[in-house]
Amino acid sequence: MKIGVVGLGYVGLVTASVLADHKNEIAGVDIDNRRIEKLKAGTVPLFEPHLSDYLSRNGDLMTFSDNYQILENCRAVFVCTPSPTMNGRIDTRYVEESCANIARVNDNCTIIIKSTVVPGTAKMIKRNTGMPIISNPEFTREGSAISDTEKPDRVVIGGENTEIAEKIWQFTRSPVVKTTNENAELIKYASNAFLATKISFINEIANLCERIPGADVETVSKGMGYDRRIAPYFLKAGLGYGGSCFPKDTEALVTYARELGVSLLLVEATISVNAKRVRHAVEIIDLAMRKRSLLKVCVLGIAFKNNTDDLRESRALDLVRELSRLGYEIRIYDPAFSGNLINVEACESIEKCVEWAEAIVVAAEWNQFRLIEKMQLSKPVFDLRRILDGASFTDYWGTGIWKE
Ligand code: UGA
């Protein structure tokens, strides 16, 4: 089948590559000409594990352009363009524009919206364009986007005449939720808001553990997670959630609900708990550093989580800015991000970064950061993501553990 994909960011490029790997012919469109040139030259414009393998082995099935005309003969076109928030409110302009452009070149296809949009958006676009619109939200995580797309926990398909979308995703053999556009749109928001709520919940329990001698949030979380009704996922306490989805989607959901006269108190609390995470960590680091008269800090992990180079809404970045504002000298190391930040030098190896520093902050969950356990460090180590064995250090602080 010839399938179009509009918007070649994380979601679009992963969708395009996986569908090409399942022998579909792909026409990919993005308005960013530099991105298109890179793709044509066989360069992957973003970091996502396995994506370059998928792109290179399916190169002959994929065409890229900044011109919508290449979507002419597609039977279905996925819309994966951004849906940012403006003052907490969703801005669907890019999604609307993409759909209008698709309708102009091909009025014989089905538009499948993957972008996260509030309920009512698909129907509004259907009215404006006269095109069949399917809502097919995605639940992939950056860093494991390929495997999440190959084998999602479920495929949600909203709208009428959903056969084409069902056929496209048949290879996943995942359960399919067939429903209305509105339900599909809301399933996405409710899922992200619920996951964000789990994270803020465990972060509050972590704050409590820090005040209880003998308590450790990792053990509390593990003990909770065995209960199948709770499940162990997204119960990892840390620096708070970031990235291009949870912060934006929780805000957009609260605003959307408020406009309908509904207060989402739990989601509002989730957002405010998350907003306090960086301050909490900075206070602890600052106090310990002052006591020891230390100034040089290295931060391991600068992207919003491991296995990505994405800095959007990165709590690690907020932390670096805040420590820098307090006068600390900072160097960073991130296996996926190699650019320099203002006033912050990026080191080329974890060893160099740690050797230079007087204190170490772990801000993302990369496995390779565990290397520092073997370094016999006497410097203070702040394990904000709880990935280290505290017993390997003489001066260790971990999120959610009581310390005198
Ligand atoms: C999230 C959802 O997990 C996906 O299902 C969804 O498709 C995607 O948003 C989206 O809407 O596009 P993503 O933002 O890539 O995916 O990353 P997550 O792995 O969910 O992590 C989000 C943030 O929460 C990260 O900052 C991570 O460090 C943090 N987190 C996650 C925790 O602090 N604790 C946890 O237990 C899990």
Side-chain angles (χ1 to χ4, degrees), residues 4-58:
V5 178
V6 176
L8 300 171
Y10 284 94
V11 175
L13 214 44
V14 169
T15 302
S17 317
V18 171
L19 291 180
D21 210 50
H22 288 274
K23 305 294 163 234
N24 295 289
E25 193 187 332
I26 300 294
V29 173
D30 198 296
I31 51 166
D32 181 351
N33 187 259
R34 278 179 314 176
R35 176 161 291 215
I36 295 296
E37 289 311 317
K38 278 189 182 162
L39 285 166
K40 281 183 176 166
T43 319
V44 187
L46 45 91
F47 177 87
E48 179 63 41
H50 313 298
L51 182 59
S52 65
D53 294 347
Y54 268 65
L55 279 168
S56 60
R57 72 175 185 238
N58 295 300

Side-chain angles (χ1 to χ4, degrees), residues 138-140 142 188 192 234 236 241-242 245 304-305:
E138 54 86 29
F139 303 97
T140 57
E142 284 183 28
K188 166 71 186 202
N192 272 6
F234 283 72
K236 181 93 183 158
Y241 59 80
C245 306
F304 86 92
K305 64 172 183 179

